[in-house]
Amino acid sequence: NKENSEEAKYPKFVDSFGWCTWDSCYTLVNHEMVDKGLESLTNAGIKIKWMILDDGWQSVNNVDVSDGSQWNDRLTNLKANHKFSDLSETVRLAKEKYGIRTFFVWHAIQGYWRGVNVD
């Protein structure tokens, strides 16, 4: 209701501009694409203060798909997939080179679209 929304305290980052990798990379996102995306925005004079690394970084059954078949995949590991040698390198790049203050990663609440591979 209106009274609750006026009293709500929002995180500070919502007052700044951010970028989500989904519309530019979809599930094909990798470290280099994040670097190029942030570089492109910076070169255009757009100051990004937070970002979301969306779907495509997780270890799942079929990492390299972009045709919608990822909806049948399951999470296989909690670590980032082979497209990221170390996810902390991507976070460090975004923060140190491009001034990103807040770095989010997208994750389906059930592990991935079809859950977790228990094998």
Side-chain angles (χ1 to χ4, degrees):
N1 71 28
K2 185 178 178 186
E3 292 159 358
N4 288 339
S5 65
E6 289 176 3
E7 294 174 14
K9 295 186 183 200
Y10 297 99
K12 195 171 187 174
F13 79 89
V14 300
D15 289 330
S16 57
F17 194 70
W19 176 55
C20 177
T21 61
W22 181 251
D23 285 325
S24 56
C25 306
Y26 299 103
T27 58
L28 300 177
V29 67
N30 60 38
H31 177 85
E32 291 75 23
M33 291 174 95
V34 170
D35 188 17
K36 286 180 183 177
L38 290 171
E39 179 180 48
S40 176
L41 292 164
T42 300
N43 289 344
I46 301 169
K47 296 183 185 328
I48 303 297
K49 294 301 176 191
W50 57 270
M51 71 166 287
I52 302 170
L53 179 61
D54 209 312
D55 194 359
W57 67 270
Q58 308 90 325
S59 293
V60 297
N61 301 68
N62 298 304
V63 171
D64 297 313
V65 298
S66 63
D67 60 0
S69 62
Q70 74 267 20
W71 311 122
N72 292 316
D73 286 348
R74 295 175 190 266
L75 188 70
T76 59
N77 196 309
L78 294 176
K79 294 181 181 178
N81 63 43
H82 70 276
K83 296 183 289 182
F84 296 88
S85 59
D86 182 348
L87 197 54
S88 66
E89 291 176 17
T90 304
V91 174
R92 190 175 305 108
L93 170 92
K95 289 185 171 212
E96 293 177 3
K97 185 175 179 182
Y98 298 105
I100 299 296
R101 289 189 212 137
T102 308
F103 191 106
F104 298 99
V105 292
W106 174 89
H107 212 296
I109 195 161
Q110 71 274 24
Y112 202 65
W113 296 112
R114 295 279 310 260
V116 175
N117 186 343
V118 294
D119 293 331

